[in-house]
């Protein structure tokens, strides 16, 4: 059955306000639709088709409880929760609880965790909540995530948190298209740059000649062409078809978070987009980052941060003026933005700041040897002696390496010749922009990891692809042709990714934490999704403590079919 939903810009009630008043005061209800927040131990979620109007044009979405995003689920650490999910679609569906530590059969990945939820059936998930923080959930079936099936999870901690705030809001970023996802994917297969309207021009070449001289400009173009790459390929799908949303609101209708002057506001940012990275800032306010992927970190004060697909960051801000502040999230390729207001009044809206100009990829993003490249080619990136020491120490770590199958051929046309750890690099578009930008090198676990086990062994995974033919794989082998990765229960495993492509890939391991190496073994930061920058390498450690079958994949929706592995823990 189809329902009609119009997405409207409304002033949001903070999570703290909701949980303290209306919802908990009411007796439990079996089915509560169109409520933005649900809390308790038992939940009823309905997957269905819903007609929406986000862009001024009607389209059919797949929704949870008839809304985009689905309701925010508020859980309590230590509780055992039950979720009854009923599928009213004409095709199989599923819900995966992203970043949640739970038994493998409850993970919600068809073909690995279970069969999925057939049309007309109800599947009941039940598991104990073992963590706290900010997470999210989404469909793991087909392209249903792109068409609206996602929502936020907030888990209240057992213990008092090490920071204070007065109000608490979820800020869920996403991308919406009136086009069918199958149509988007077909266009990408026909022409991988179909949605890229920032292509190079003849004028660009002559500008480079003026800047670098003809010989250098010619050599640079020759190198990019030889690798069949463009330094303007920052995102596969752009604002040409996407409308960027904040809590389901387009920029024209704006999500609003209310504050009183002087209050400390916690904003729980979640990137629930299918394909879009966002660069987030609130002009006029510093943001103190206090959690990454649900886990507390040592506070870091920044002006801006990049949030990759599937990541979460919690920040605290303290508005000092009774005016509306823009919560501004521009897409990585600068084709559009999501916009909300942090405002003292629902009648006040913030204006969007001007978008930054897009930056081009550099030779470092191709994985070229930085020492052999001039400063100009590195896009102005610099690395201090302290960073050099940290990355050298990471390079020097040696563990027994388990060799994995590799394949070459048409499916893998790119290769990073000298990939490096670049955790201090904010990434293309954020370099030398005059703002203090969060990097992975800033992330430090709030609690000591000094006594954590060292890895027993290491595996190295190359992220591979062919941009022209829009083919994606791991180690040159697409998922359909790959054998499962086998992890040994109880071991401590180091995983190193080398990104041979020129795209950022958000890699997500289900069921187990990824302890990211940032050059400080005393404070390994714990994440569920790790961004691997173009032409770079990155390492993290996994305590293999969850038996069963798990998914391991790039979280860009249109990469997932190839850049995916099943992990078997036994």
């Amino acid at each position: 059955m189809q329902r009609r939903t119009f997405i409207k810009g409304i002033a949001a009630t903070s999570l703290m306000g909701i949980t303290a008043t209306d919802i908990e005061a009411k007796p439990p209800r079996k089915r509560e639709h169109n409520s933005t927040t649900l809390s308790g131990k038992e939940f009823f979620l309905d997957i269905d088709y819903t007609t929406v109007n986000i862009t001024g044009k009607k389209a059919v979405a797949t929704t949870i409880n008839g809304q985009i995003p689905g309701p925010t689920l508020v859980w309590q650490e230590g509780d055992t929760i039950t979720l009854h999910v009923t599928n009213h679609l004409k095709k199989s569906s599923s819900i995966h609880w992203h970043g949640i530590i739970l038994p493998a059969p409850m993970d919600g990945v068809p073909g690995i965790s279970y069969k999925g939820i057939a049309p007309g059936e109800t599947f009941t998930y039940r598991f104990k909540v073992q963590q706290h923080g900010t997470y999210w959930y989404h469909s793991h079936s087909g392209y249903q995530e792109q068409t609206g099936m996602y929502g936020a999870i907030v888990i209240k901690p057992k213990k008092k948190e090490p920071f204070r705030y007065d109000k608490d809001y979820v800020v869920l970023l996403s991308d919406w298209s009136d086009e069918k996802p199958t149509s988007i994917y077909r266009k990408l297969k026909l022409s991988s740059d179909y949605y890229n309207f920032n292509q190079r021009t003849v004028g660009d070449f002559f500008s480079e000649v003026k800047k670098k001289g003809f010989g250098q400009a010619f050599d640079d173009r020759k190198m990019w062409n030889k690798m069949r790459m463009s330094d303007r390929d920052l995102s596969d799908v752009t604002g040409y078809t996407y409308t960027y949303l904040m809590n389901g609101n387009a920029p024209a209708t704006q999500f609003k978070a209310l504050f009183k002057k002087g209050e400390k506001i916690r904003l729980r940012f979640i990137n629930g987009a299918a394909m879009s990275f966002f660069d987030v800032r609130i002009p006029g306010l510093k943001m103190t980052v206090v959690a990454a992927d649900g886990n507390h970190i040592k506070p870091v004060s920044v002006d801006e941060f990049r949030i990759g697909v599937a990541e979460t960051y919690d920040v605290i801000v303290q508005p000092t003026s009774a005016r509306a502040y823009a919560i501004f999230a521009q897409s990585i390729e600068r084709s559009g933005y999501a916009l909300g207001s942090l405002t003292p009044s629902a009648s006040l809206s913030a204006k969007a700041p001007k978008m930054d100009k897009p930056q081009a990829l550099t030779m470092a993003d191709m994985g070229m040897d930085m020492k052999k490249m001039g400063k100009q080619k590195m896009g102005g990136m610099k690395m201090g002696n302290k960073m050099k020491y940290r990355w050298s120490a990471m390079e020097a770590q040696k563990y027994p390496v388990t060799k994995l199958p590799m394949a070459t051929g048409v499916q893998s046309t790119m290769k990073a010749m000298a990939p490096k750890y670049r955790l201090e690099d904010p990434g293309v578009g954020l370099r030398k922009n005059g703002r203090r930008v969060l990097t992975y090198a800033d992330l430090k676990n709030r609690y000591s990891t000094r006594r954590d086990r060292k890895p027993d062994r290491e595996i190295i995974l190359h992220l591979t692809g062919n941009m022209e033919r829009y083919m994606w794989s791991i180690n040159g082998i697409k998922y359909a042709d790959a054998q499962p990765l086998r992890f040994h229960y109880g071991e401590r495993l180091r995983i190193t990714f080398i990104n041979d492509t020129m795209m950022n890939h958000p890699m997500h391991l289900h069921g187990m934490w990824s302890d990211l190496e940032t050059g400080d073994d005393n404070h390994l930061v714990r994440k569920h999704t790790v961004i691997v920058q173009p032409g770079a390498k990155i390492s993290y450690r996994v305590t293999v403590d969850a038996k069963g079958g798990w998914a391991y994949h790039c979280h860009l929706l249109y990469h997932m079919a190839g850049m995916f592995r099943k992990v078997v823990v036994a």
Side-chain angles (χ1 to χ4, degrees):
M1 185 176 74
Q2 291 189 358
R3 290 186 294 271
R4 183 183 180 92
T5 298
F6 289 92
I7 307 298
K8 298 176 180 178
I10 58 174
T13 306
S14 78
L15 287 167
M16 296 175 75
I18 287 175
T19 53
T21 56
D22 293 343
I23 288 182
E24 288 188 344
K26 294 177 181 176
R29 295 172 60 184
K30 281 194 172 182
R31 293 180 184 274
E32 187 169 7
H33 288 170
N34 296 317
S35 176
T36 56
T37 302
L38 301 175
S39 62
K41 296 182 181 180
E42 187 172 20
F43 301 83
F44 293 84
L45 302 177
D46 286 84
I47 301 168
D48 208 341
Y49 299 106
T50 301
T51 301
V52 299
N53 188 339
I54 293 173
T55 64
K57 178 182 175 183
K58 292 180 184 177
V60 176
T62 52
T63 60
I64 299 167
N65 288 9
Q67 56 193 79
I68 297 178
T72 295
L73 305 180
V74 180
W75 301 344
Q76 174 66 53
E77 182 182 7
D79 280 355
T80 295
I81 61 161
T82 303
L83 303 112
H84 308 282
V85 180
T86 301
N87 178 16
H88 300 282
L89 303 179
K90 295 177 181 177
K91 57 180 67 176
S92 180
S93 189
S94 60
I95 293 183
H96 162 61
W97 316 101
H98 190 106
I100 304 300
I101 301 301
L102 39 58
M106 298 290 106
D107 197 41
V109 180
I112 295 181
S113 314
Y114 65 167
K115 294 187 296 184
I117 309 172
E121 290 190 347
T122 298
F123 184 86
T124 297
Y125 300 83
R126 186 175 291 111
F127 50 86
K128 185 175 182 179
V129 180
Q130 306 176 54
Q131 60 208 97
H132 57 80
T134 304
Y135 303 89
W136 66 300
Y137 61 94
H138 59 85
S139 172
H140 227 293
S141 298
Y143 298 124
Q144 293 169 9
E145 180 190 331
Q146 173 76 93
T147 53
M149 279 186 60
Y150 52 83
I153 297 171
V154 173
I155 305 176
K156 297 178 182 177
K158 278 184 178 178
K159 298 179 181 177
K160 186 179 179 182
E161 292 186 289
F163 43 81
R164 189 182 68 78
Y165 54 91
D166 300 298
K167 287 194 174 81
D168 184 359
Y169 295 95
V170 165
V171 182
L172 201 166
L173 306 170
S174 61
D175 44 27
W176 168 265
S177 173
D178 288 335
E179 284 191 272
K180 291 182 179 179
T182 50
S183 174
I184 294 174
Y185 186 67
R186 181 179 58 80
K187 289 174 180 174
L188 290 171
K189 290 293 287 183
L190 291 172
S191 175
S192 63
D193 58 358
Y194 181 88
Y195 294 101
N196 183 357
F197 282 74
N198 184 35
Q199 298 282 18
R200 297 187 62 81
T201 64
V202 175
D204 291 328
F205 178 73
F206 284 111
S207 295
E208 289 181 358
V209 169
K210 286 183 181 177
K211 191 175 179 182
K212 307 175 183 177
F214 181 84
Q216 187 64 63
F218 181 81
D219 287 346
D220 286 356
R221 284 309 98 219
K222 184 180 177 182
M223 187 172 294
W224 284 102
N225 293 336
K226 186 179 178 181
M227 296 190 71
R228 298 179 180 178
M229 298 179 182
S230 165
D231 59 359
R232 306 294 176 90
D233 276 337
L234 304 180
S235 186
D236 298 342
V237 191
T238 68
Y240 178 70
T241 188
Y242 278 155
T243 297
Y244 299 109
L245 307 181
M246 185 175 292
N247 290 346
N249 294 268
T253 53
Q254 278 202 27
F255 156 75
K256 291 179 181 174
L258 300 178
F259 72 89
K260 293 179 181 176
K261 184 180 173 182
E263 284 183 327
K264 289 188 174 181
I265 310 297
R266 180 179 188 168
L267 300 174
R268 301 173 182 265
F269 285 93
I270 302 168
N271 188 345
M275 291 293 288
S276 304
F277 280 46
F278 294 98
D279 296 332
V280 178
R281 57 192 162 102
I282 304 176
L285 290 181
K286 285 280 187 183
M287 298 181 286
T288 302
V289 185
V290 295
D293 287 0
N295 296 289
H296 294 158
I297 62 169
K298 289 189 174 183
V300 186
S301 179
V302 299
D303 300 310
E304 188 167 20
F305 63 89
R306 171 162 293 169
I307 184 167
V309 172
E311 288 189 303
T312 77
Y313 285 108
D314 290 27
V315 309
I316 293 176
V317 297
Q318 188 169 23
T320 54
S321 301
R323 66 176 178 88
Y325 295 84
I327 307 172
F328 184 64
Q330 56 185 338
S331 64
I332 188 173
E333 79 292 339
R334 312 300 187 235
S335 65
Y337 55 81
L339 177 67
S341 288
L342 184 61
T343 176
S345 168
S347 62
L348 289 178
S349 298
K351 291 183 179 179
K354 189 178 179 181
M355 278 199 296
D356 294 331
K357 290 182 179 179
Q359 291 180 355
L361 294 165
T362 68
M363 294 299 179
D365 297 309
M366 291 175 64
M368 305 301 286
D369 189 342
M370 296 174 71
K371 291 181 181 177
K372 296 180 180 178
M373 299 293 152
K375 181 180 175 183
Q376 186 180 23
K377 288 188 177 183
M378 304 314 302
M381 279 189 285
K382 293 181 179 178
M383 188 192 305
N385 290 332
K386 187 177 178 181
M387 292 297 178
K388 287 180 183 176
Y389 173 78
R390 287 167 65 174
W391 308 154
S392 296
M394 287 168 63
E395 294 277 8
Q397 295 185 43
K398 301 295 179 187
Y399 305 100
V401 175
T402 301
K403 290 190 176 180
L404 299 173
M406 284 283 297
T408 57
V410 68
Q411 74 280 6
S412 180
T413 57
M414 298 171 277
K415 184 170 180 60
M417 303 305 291
K420 301 292 183 187
Y421 293 109
R422 298 210 316 263
L423 285 86
E424 81 291 356
D425 177 8
V428 63
L430 295 176
R431 295 166 184 152
K432 298 185 71 174
N433 67 1
R435 299 188 283 267
R436 171 73 169 89
V437 181
L438 184 76
T439 69
Y440 273 2
D442 295 319
L443 302 180
K444 292 182 180 294
N445 197 319
R446 190 164 188 121
Y447 312 104
S448 174
T449 58
R450 186 167 58 90
R451 297 182 184 278
D452 284 5
R453 279 172 58 190
K454 297 294 184 185
D456 301 301
R457 65 182 178 116
E458 180 177 11
I459 61 172
I460 299 171
L461 298 171
H462 286 255
L463 303 176
T464 47
N466 178 331
M467 282 293 294
E468 283 188 325
R469 298 179 64 169
Y470 207 72
M471 302 168 72
W472 303 102
S473 55
I474 295 175
N475 284 358
I477 305 169
K478 65 178 188 290
Y479 177 50
D481 298 333
Q483 294 296 313
L485 295 171
R486 299 196 178 278
F487 294 179
H488 309 309
Y489 181 72
E491 71 174 340
R492 179 80 160 160
L493 181 66
R494 188 191 203 209
I495 299 173
T496 294
F497 276 112
I498 294 176
N499 188 351
D500 286 326
T501 81
M502 55 192 295
M503 308 297 297
N504 286 282
H505 297 288
M507 300 305 296
H508 172 43
L509 173 62
H510 290 222
M512 291 160 276
W513 288 113
S514 303
D515 297 332
L516 179 64
E517 293 182 9
T518 59
D520 180 1
D521 280 6
N522 294 331
H523 296 282
L524 298 173
V525 66
R526 179 157 282 187
K527 291 178 69 40
H528 53 61
T529 305
V530 174
I531 308 306
V532 191
Q533 291 189 331
K537 67 192 296 187
I538 203 163
S539 299
Y540 54 80
R541 304 171 187 179
V542 176
T543 297
V544 181
D545 56 2
K547 291 183 178 179
W550 302 98
Y552 195 9
H553 58 90
C554 173
H555 221 284
L556 296 178
L557 190 61
Y558 301 109
H559 293 191
M560 209 179 293
M563 202 172 271
F564 193 109
R565 285 292 185 272
K566 179 180 179 180
V567 168
V568 176
V569 178

